[in-house]
Amino acid sequence: MSDMKVKDLAGTVGITAERLVDQLNEAGIKVSQPDDLITEEQKQTLLQFLQQRHGKSADGASVTPKKITLKRKSVSEIKLAGPTRAGKSVSVEVRKKRTYIKRSETEEAAAAAELLKQKEAEDAAAEAAKLQQQELEAQQQRERLMEQEAADREAAAVAAAIEAEKQAAEEARLAAEEEQRALAEEAKAAAEEPPAKTQKSQNQEPALTASQLAHKKLEEADAKRRAANLARIDAEKALEARRKAREEEEALEKAREEAKQAAAEVQAKEQKAERQKEGDARVHAKDKPAKRGKFQRDDEFERKELHVSEGKTGRRKKKKGVSQPRGAVRDTAGEHGFSMPTAPVVREVSVPETISVSDLAQRMSVKAAEVIKALMGLGTMATINQVLDQDTAVIVVEEMGHVAKPTQDNEVELALTVSDEDLGELKSRAPVVTVMGHVDHGKTSLLDYIRRTKVTTGEAGGITQHIGAYKVETSRGEIAFLDTPGHAAFTEMRSRGAKVTDIVVLVVAADDGVMPQTIEAIQHAKAAESILIVAVNKMDKPDANPDRVKQELVNHEVIPEDWGGDVQFVPVSALTGQGIDDLLDAISLQAEIMELTAPVEGPANGTVIEARLDKGRGTVVTVLVQKGTLKKGDIVVVGQEYGRVRALFDENGQQLEQAGPSTPVELLGLSSTPAAGDELQVAPDERTAREISYFRQTRAREMKMAQQQAAKLDDMFNKMEAGDVKTLNVVIKADVHGSAEAVSQGLQKLSTDLVQVRVIASGVGGINETDAQLAAASDAILIGFNVRADNTARKVIAEKGLDVQYFSIIYDLLDVVTKAMTGMLEPVYKDEIIGLARVDDVFRSPKFGDIAGCLVLEGMVKRNNPIRVLRDNVVIFEGELESLRRFKDDVNEVSAGTECGIGVRNYKDVKPGDQIEVFERVLMKPTL
């Protein structure tokens, strides 16, 4: 793909151009505007950056994020005390940064040390904040003391002003009395000595001076009194202002206490109303049944953040003839309405293993848009119905200020857990022997001889398509045998057989040696930690070479006992019976050494070997009981299915009432076909079994949705790079679950870069109308493996013209599908050079134009074939011939070593020294 603009890529991806520019810059690609061009390498860099951000490795595999950093910021206010600072507050901002790092075991010590350092730093910060708070409280205490001292000084000033005023008033009174006394004395003196005017006039000046002095003192005393009065008034005003400020502060503090008390009373009323409402609801629930379709979860629809304020309520008028429900009495003492919470509500949110965005928002009592916004802040794009994993949900809950409580979804499955006290006494049990090996090495024939039945006659193509489970009674005790298919497509089936077995009998043909499926069987046996016994079969053939088998197995770490190893080698022949007794002796001896035991009493536990859908009997499941006793009528849970055991059958079709450990049985009664390898457990009752089955189905569906959502972004970029890829849709139906699984995996492995095989659906049972309709809607081919279509499905197939293929051998199925995939490929043409001519000279003709005089060097030049003009071995023109002449005659072809004249159509720049290459396009058969 060539270079393209950022805005064009944003339109293709489905995001805004600005967002894509930011992502490119975050990825280290310098882009400034949407019109800039980006190259293919920059697209790959962006894709790798987005994959790492979303938890994907470079190759597309899902990995756990190595490092997650969370940043938090909280702002709180501290109100200052005192009348002069009323209404003022100090904002305290606390910033926290927390980093979660996934470390290996070798880094645990360093991580612990680093965590200790961080904790010490946090403790130091907390201690510093505490010291700061203490310092602030000390500062407030000092301010209160200073204010108290100022108030005391003002009170003292008022008292001093009052005292000064009193003193000034006393001085004025004394001055007035002195003035009156002086005037009286002067009048008396004038009355007693009237003749002596001359002497009186002489002495008059001192008397007037004394009067004036007394009057002056009186005026000064009045001035002091007025000044003292003004000072007293000012001091009283200041004291009154401080008293009012103190009263306002006390009133504000009292109002706060009353508000807290009112809030506590309202909360107590709400709790009382909720308890009364719950009691009434329980009473109503007992009186009449609940309505269908209406339910409420315990952790949903909480209204704890709403506080009813006091005052009048808008009570509804009671309608005539309509009685109000019990518990609906409302408090009419308060004001109608709600008050906002004074503090954010912190909830404890239970987070299961998977949860949708809408459910998570509902549990936190917030809108889903807020959760989506938080996810976008963490770099995750999500929708309201998207399913989140537990780790992501916990981070979102903590980011939004709540407390996350991770829970395990399998709590409901604890009812199936059986304690050791419930199990009976351990008793000896029969060994479980799995027969493995390559196809056509004689595994089923060996069991056929042991069971004295003809199992191989009923197998299609002479190979085993299913896992067979048989319990054989021998002279040395009972032995449970599991026969596994040997074809490569049944690797998963062989793997399940090895996981439930005690001893593995590896059958190797003495005339064929070790084959690919033999090596796989050895690997499965080692992975299951099972004891291995090698049965060298077909010893009756003349070209049998057991030493070759031993030599080849030694290369795979399977060493015989006679060569110093620990693996028993038993030469046998399934046709003549040679060595069969020795093989049974080896199995019995090994079982005695292993001392195999299992509890017989108590609820049964087993593993599904195979499951199929029978038209007459329904779901038939082959189960190997491993411990306990499975009885007819038990309620069992098998994987995602449950049911009651209606019947038990052994390998011969005989009904059983119960089955003990190491017993393979077929049971009827499950709701649907489980997957091979699922665990069978006995439930205490049908209700518990149904709940566990529903829970497992829901969990599987949610996990599938989560995986699909995570793969959408990768699929989008992969489709952009891959271009047009052909897809072959198939719908598979098989007789048993294991065969359907093996066929699906075999077909998916056929996918290439040119043609992809897509399994639309895979199931057990015959082809029905639903399968045919699905194949018609998805343009798929129907594949029936050991099953056929019913009458209704055949009508739909005929009407729609669907392609239906029936198979009983997997070889033929894979070959036919491979041919169908090849037919979907586009035709491939190959250019084959048939001639080469050299231009020696160019002739100018007014009638024919430029004619190149050429010598044919190789092959043959044909007039009707396309050509290429080469100059210095570089193609400069591709077209066709206009004329080919030999002397004056037009010819159709010219052989090597012959001169000719060539006219090139629509090209006039042929020069001497050029070469004219003649080729033809040959249709090639397309291959995968």
Side-chain angles (χ1 to χ4, degrees), residues 371-430:
V371 180
I372 295 175
K373 183 178 178 181
L375 287 168
M376 293 175 62
L378 296 174
T380 302
M381 303 297 294
T383 61
I384 190 172
N385 295 322
Q386 183 166 338
V387 178
L388 305 176
D389 58 88
Q390 190 177 65
D391 295 337
T392 305
V394 168
I395 294 175
V396 172
V397 171
E398 293 180 351
E399 185 70 18
M400 299 188 71
H402 298 284
V403 178
K405 182 180 178 182
T407 60
Q408 298 294 330
D409 289 341
N410 59 350
E411 293 179 359
V412 69
E413 296 180 342
L414 297 179
L416 299 180
T417 304
V418 181
S419 61
D420 296 337
E421 290 79 7
D422 297 334
L423 297 176
E425 181 183 357
L426 297 178
K427 296 183 180 180
S428 177
R429 64 173 178 86

Side-chain angles (χ1 to χ4, degrees), residues 441-459:
H441 275 201
K443 302 182 299 299
T444 308
S445 299
L446 187 62
L447 281 175
D448 176 44
Y449 188 89
I450 296 175
R451 297 175 60 232
R452 300 297 180 182
T453 58
K454 298 295 183 182
V455 179
T456 55
T457 58
E459 298 291 350

Side-chain angles (χ1 to χ4, degrees), residues 2-8 24 29-40 42-43:
S2 60
D3 298 349
M4 63 187 305
K5 294 183 178 179
V6 175
K7 62 182 182 181
D8 295 337
L24 288 168
I29 303 172
K30 301 300 181 181
V31 176
S32 59
Q33 56 186 357
D35 292 330
D36 292 347
L37 296 177
I38 58 175
T39 62
E40 187 68 23
Q42 292 174 340
K43 293 178 189 176

